[in-house]
Amino acid sequence: MSGTVWFVGAGPGAADLLTLRAARVIAAADVVVWAASLVHADVLAHARPDAEIVDSSRLPMEGVLPLYQRAAVDGLTVARIHSGDPGLWGAVQEQLDLCRALGLAVEIVPGVSAFTAVAARIGRELTVPEVAQSVILTRLEGGKTPMPAGERVREFARHGTTMALFLSAARSGQVQAELLAGGYPADTPAVVAYQATWPDELVVHCTVGTLAATVKEHRLWKHTLILVGPALAAAGTRSHLYHPGHFHGHRRAEPAARAALRGDPDSRVAEPAGRMPSETGASGKPGASRPVRTRTAGREPDRGDQPT
């Protein structure tokens, strides 16, 4: 007999950001494994009343392995809940290898990652046309897990595009130094987000030049994601996708608009009204430090590792 292990992305925090598939998998599981330090307890509302609930926050891999072995012997279905998306810093690959070696069927349910959740919270697109068309997901080198050769923040920073830094807030001074050394100007917009979508979330706008001071001012060191890049304060530019001169399998291009899109100087197409202005802080400059949402007064949060 053999069972199934589902690796379920719980999203960044808020239980209603679970996907429909994730909720169905949790509801069908005989055993639900979750880390109380990383996953909001509300996700357990989807579990069956008779399901076995296991908190893995204090267990090493050797503590979880017996659950997988029992699932293989008894034909159980296990929902292993991971924060954020299991494909990012989730230690999933080693678990997949273990489960397959036991003869278990394995499936992965993707989840909302913290970097997209933060983009949603601040109301920004991370890939603004003609400003940034790439997003770099990384962490600062020198932590508990060695970084491969060639993967350094300052090298990634040379691209000057949007970057999301996970697992790095504890060494904010080094993060700032690496970003500046890589070529981001000091006034490049940045966002520091603690516990995004949790009840005590804190989101603060700053710049690369004030990043370290902002992190230290709010005493953040874990559960914190950092976003940097010019797209965080850029006004929207006209996308070709929705331009009347653009065509695809479901829409024909308007001839005059097509000519204008291709650069014909004799053709003019009016731009739509209502373009959003650039985000500015209290000083009027893009990226100026300004809190968006603060934690409850007098409560010092538990700053465990942040969701991915």
Side-chain angles (χ1 to χ4, degrees):
M1 185 176 292
S2 185
T4 303
V5 177
W6 293 80
F7 294 93
V8 179
D16 59 358
L17 286 177
L18 277 174
T19 65
L20 294 174
R21 181 178 297 181
R24 286 198 300 267
V25 168
I26 294 171
D30 301 301
V31 181
V32 177
V33 184
W34 74 303
S37 59
L38 297 173
V39 177
H40 200 287
D42 285 355
V43 303
L44 298 179
H46 297 282
R48 296 190 335 233
D50 62 337
E52 179 181 354
I53 309 296
V54 179
D55 180 4
S56 65
S57 59
R58 297 182 181 274
L59 298 177
M61 186 61 65
E62 288 75 8
V64 178
L65 180 58
L67 297 172
Y68 297 155
Q69 293 171 329
R70 181 153 56 90
V73 172
D74 297 338
L76 302 176
T77 297
V78 177
R80 177 70 159 97
I81 304 176
H82 283 259
S83 60
D85 183 273
L88 297 174
W89 293 282
V92 168
Q93 191 59 52
E94 58 187 291
Q95 296 182 76
L96 291 171
D97 295 342
L98 285 171
C99 290
R100 286 168 178 152
L102 291 169
L104 288 161
V106 293
E107 295 281 351
I108 298 175
V109 180
V112 176
S113 179
F115 81 96
T116 55
V118 173
R121 297 302 289 152
I122 63 175
R124 299 298 308 181
E125 180 182 354
L126 302 181
T127 53
V128 177
E130 300 181 44
V131 178
Q133 288 292 282
S134 304
V135 180
I136 297 171
L137 310 180
T138 189
R139 66 173 180 81
L140 185 65
E141 60 275 4
K144 297 177 182 178
T145 303
M147 290 286 278
E151 294 192 16
R152 299 190 62 187
V153 169
R154 71 171 58 193
E155 297 302 325
F156 292 139
R158 299 190 193 285
H159 296 282
T161 190
T162 307
M163 186 186 300
L165 291 130
F166 295 75
L167 306 166
S168 303
R171 293 174 292 148
S172 58
Q174 185 180 350
V175 171
Q176 178 175 315
E178 290 293 303
L179 293 172
L180 292 171
Y184 281 112
D187 62 354
T188 301
V191 172
V192 177
Y194 165 76
Q195 293 270 71
T197 78
W198 287 67
D200 57 348
E201 78 168 10
L202 172 68
V203 180
V204 183
H205 288 254
C206 59
T207 65
V208 169
T210 61
L211 177 61
T214 300
V215 172
K216 292 173 182 176
E217 175 188 353
H218 295 282
R219 296 186 293 171
L220 304 176
W221 61 289
K222 290 184 179 179
H223 269 300
T224 301
L225 178 79
I226 299 169
L227 289 178
V228 300
L232 299 180
T237 59
R238 186 66 191 270
S239 165
H240 283 201
L241 180 61
Y242 296 108
H243 195 287
H246 177 74
F247 66 90
H248 51 68
H250 297 274
R251 189 181 76 218
R252 293 182 178 182
E254 297 176 8
R258 181 65 178 168
L261 188 62
R262 298 176 66 177
D264 184 344
D266 296 327
S267 300
R268 295 290 183 270
V269 176
E271 291 293 325
R275 172 173 291 181
M276 294 297 292
S278 173
E279 292 234 358
T280 59
S283 68
K285 297 181 179 179
S289 179
R290 55 187 178 88
V292 173
R293 186 180 293 255
T294 59
R295 60 178 180 266
T296 305
R299 179 171 180 261
E300 183 61 24
D302 175 18
R303 311 190 193 284
D305 292 333
Q306 84 265 27
T308 55

